[in-house]
Amino acid sequence: MLYGALEAGGTKMVCAVGNENGQILDQESIPTSTPDETMPKVIEYFKAKVSPELPEDDRIKALGVACFGPVDVRPRSATYGNILNTPKIAWRNFEMVKTMKDALGIPVGFDTDVNGSLLGEATWGCAKGLTDAVYFTIGTGIGMGAMSGGKLIHGMLHPEAGHIFMSRVEGDDYKGHCPNHGTCFEGMASGPAIEDRWGKPAKELADRPEVWELEAKYIAQELADITFTLSPQKIILGGGVMSQSQLFPLVRKYVAEYINDYISTKELRNINAYITPAALNGNQGIMGAVKLAVMAAETEE
Ligand code: ADP
Ligand code: ZN
């Protein structure tokens, strides 16, 4: 069975066709500019995959969308499936689910980009078989997807754990980069915050150990807080900043230090597996979107 998958990101829209095993059979990237410019190209890609001219088995049965946010993921809400108050002004209030449903006439599954990546990892990657896990992207912004008891967490809207308040690390007087909170986690630790604090893009700071020491201390505060609140069995870290693999051992060391033996579980004793990079080589988001499509098709049956 074939499914459509859309990973809707702030810089690009990844459109793909996959099967129920998460294999990606076709993929195309479309730059994200404005809805008027971008969405007709996205629709064109998927319209060709539902065409009545295709043999029935070659048509996609549903579409899954893992979308940058904030987004309305509450199925009973009047604005379900819409992008909400994003800093990308042209996309505010864009009706993502309605637009795709109207264009394609197939079931559409929808969630945040980070829940999508987590779902990919939980279905086919490093969180397979787990019921409780979180996925962070640490990039231009910071977002967290979370699964509890086998269900992706939405709650009142969806978690925004990138905006947890931080205790300032001694000696750091950076003013913070979040327009709403200044020194929240995203304000202290996102890619743009690193660049603003140190005066150079993060990837050009690879050989400055003090940059990654400080970064690891903020990331570790967040992961300790999430360990205490959500009690995940695994924490997966992705996003551009985490491509600095030197961060992993530092983050693990500080998480252990901050938890300070208050919790002792087999997961925390094996901290290399507890705090881990994504396993699906950058495909976690698009594969998660395939799974959202599979779930949407099952719901409509
Ligand atoms: P986005 O969050 O926009 O979807 P990314 O996850 O790639 O995209 O994050 C982009 C951010 O990650 C930028 O702020 C950039 O500074 C940072 N980044 C990208 N590559 C690296 C790298 N190799 N090392 C450190 N930071 C990086
Ligand atoms: Zn913030």
Side-chain angles (χ1 to χ4, degrees):
M1 202 82 102
L2 297 183
Y3 298 92
L6 170 60
E7 189 183 8
T11 41
K12 61 182 195 291
M13 299 276 170
V14 181
C15 303
V17 174
N19 64 20
E20 67 279 9
N21 301 317
Q23 284 167 312
I24 303 299
L25 307 166
D26 185 68
Q27 184 168 317
E28 199 176 304
S29 257
I30 293 162
T32 303
S33 55
T34 61
D36 285 349
E37 200 175 352
T38 304
M39 291 311 293
K41 296 176 191 158
V42 170
I43 288 167
E44 189 187 331
Y45 175 88
F46 288 110
K47 269 222 142 154
K49 317 294 181 203
V50 293
S51 164
E53 285 164 29
L54 288 175
E56 166 111 40
D57 285 351
D58 292 351
R59 292 181 220 155
I60 58 172
K61 298 297 173 294
L63 174 72
V65 184
C67 190
F68 72 89
V71 286
D72 191 341
V73 290
R74 302 163 296 183
R76 276 175 295 279
S77 160
T79 52
Y80 170 72
N82 293 5
I83 297 177
L84 300 174
N85 198 22
T86 165
K88 293 174 205 310
I89 293 174
W91 291 89
R92 275 191 195 165
N93 305 317
F94 179 72
E95 298 176 314
M96 181 61 88
V97 169
K98 182 174 187 309
T99 302
M100 297 314 291
K101 257 196 174 156
D102 288 353
L104 304 176
I106 55 177
V108 176
F110 186 64
D111 215 315
T112 61
D113 48 4
V114 273
N115 265 356
S117 292
L118 175 58
L119 184 61
E121 291 289 338
T123 311
W124 295 295
C126 67
K128 199 171 160 185
L130 302 184
T131 53
D132 294 78
V134 297
Y135 180 97
F136 279 95
T137 181
I138 305 181
T140 308
I142 299 184
M144 182 198 75
M147 182 179 270
S148 180
K151 283 203 163 145
L152 294 169
I153 297 183
H154 294 143
M156 155 190 85
L157 180 66
H158 49 73
E160 283 285 7
H163 296 271
I164 284 180
F165 296 112
M166 296 274 108
S167 299
R168 202 176 262 290
V169 171
E170 220 179 284
D172 178 29
D173 60 4
Y174 178 57
K175 65 184 188 309
H177 199 264
C178 177
N180 297 71
H181 317 115
T183 58
C184 66
F185 181 38
E186 182 174 295
M188 293 307 248
S190 66
I194 297 173
E195 178 168 352
D196 189 37
R197 178 193 268 115
W198 300 95
K200 265 192 198 177
K203 64 167 169 285
E204 292 174 25
L205 295 161
D207 57 357
R208 298 266 302 272
E210 67 275 26
V211 171
W212 309 107
E213 271 289 320
L214 185 65
E215 179 72 8
K217 286 180 180 170
Y218 286 118
I219 296 173
Q221 279 192 46
E222 170 87 17
L223 302 198
D225 286 352
I226 291 302
T227 299
F228 289 136
T229 51
L230 293 179
S231 209
Q233 298 157 306
K234 190 180 278 294
I235 295 176
I236 307 162
L237 300 178
V241 171
M242 291 314 301
S243 55
Q244 291 294 324
S245 54
Q246 56 186 312
L247 275 171
F248 281 89
L250 294 169
V251 167
R252 290 172 186 134
K253 179 179 88 170
Y254 288 120
V255 167
E257 193 177 296
Y258 298 161
I259 291 177
N260 200 16
D261 292 329
Y262 189 76
I263 303 173
S264 177
T265 58
K266 69 174 189 330
E267 288 85 355
L268 284 174
R269 283 191 291 276
N270 185 9
I271 199 151
N272 289 354
Y274 183 64
I275 297 169
T276 175
L280 296 174
N281 302 320
N283 282 327
Q284 57 273 17
I286 198 71
M287 290 169 75
V290 171
K291 183 66 179 178
L292 286 172
V294 172
M295 288 157 62
E298 282 167 359
T299 311
E300 301 249 334
E301 260 169 19

